[in-house]
Amino acid sequence: MTTENIGEIVISPRVLEVITGIAATKVEGVHSLHNKTVTDGLSKATLSKGVYLQTEEDGTVNTDIYVYLQYGVSVPEVAMAIQKAVKAAVYEMADVVVSAVNIHVQGIVAEKTAKPDMKSLFDEDFLDD
């Protein structure tokens, strides 16, 4: 079977941010994502909600994820699970290789704190389904 090249496929970094954010928040032990700085939450240019991507010259992507974890979890185990989940999700959905997933644990959340819903993660219309 031959593959015919009939055009170019371009995936927006915003799509990769959403895939990364959803994959990270679905990991058991993750409470929520958190912006790197307070001004990121106020800026209209930064919509990433705790996910920051950098594309390398070789086409791979590095990502930094800022998270709050639930009380009582093993921080290294949850961080490694996030790394694996993000690398797998981005590769499976976008065929993009993530070379590094850097996890920044911003804090631990008390047991009684309600977990935010998925819609508040990126405020996207497609999450209404």
Side-chain angles (χ1 to χ4, degrees), residues 2-128:
T2 61
T3 305
E4 182 181 346
N5 187 3
I6 57 174
E8 185 177 354
I9 299 171
V10 178
I11 299 173
S12 166
R14 179 77 179 126
V15 171
L16 299 178
E17 288 174 356
V18 171
I19 293 169
T20 300
I22 291 172
T25 56
K26 286 188 173 185
V27 172
E28 188 68 34
V30 174
H31 181 269
S32 59
L33 300 181
H34 190 266
N35 286 329
K36 182 169 43 174
T37 63
V38 174
T39 56
D40 286 351
L42 303 174
S43 171
K44 293 196 185 259
T46 305
L47 300 170
S48 58
K49 298 274 188 167
V51 176
Y52 301 87
L53 301 177
Q54 180 179 359
T55 305
E56 299 298 323
E57 290 180 12
D58 63 356
T60 62
V61 174
N62 292 336
T63 182
D64 288 277
I65 305 171
Y66 292 79
V67 296
Y68 277 99
L69 300 182
Q70 295 172 343
Y71 177 79
V73 300
S74 169
V75 174
E77 286 180 18
V78 173
M80 286 189 294
I82 295 169
Q83 290 172 325
K84 289 177 184 175
V86 166
K87 285 183 95 168
V90 171
Y91 186 75
E92 289 171 10
M93 292 184 215
D95 200 26
V96 173
V97 175
V98 178
S99 57
V101 179
N102 303 309
I103 308 299
H104 304 270
V105 178
Q106 296 296 101
I108 303 293
V109 178
E111 295 176 45
K112 296 181 181 177
T113 306
K115 193 170 182 176
D117 65 343
M118 188 67 73
K119 187 171 181 158
S120 69
L121 181 60
F122 289 101
D123 298 324
E124 298 284 351
D125 294 336
F126 65 84
L127 293 174
D128 291 336

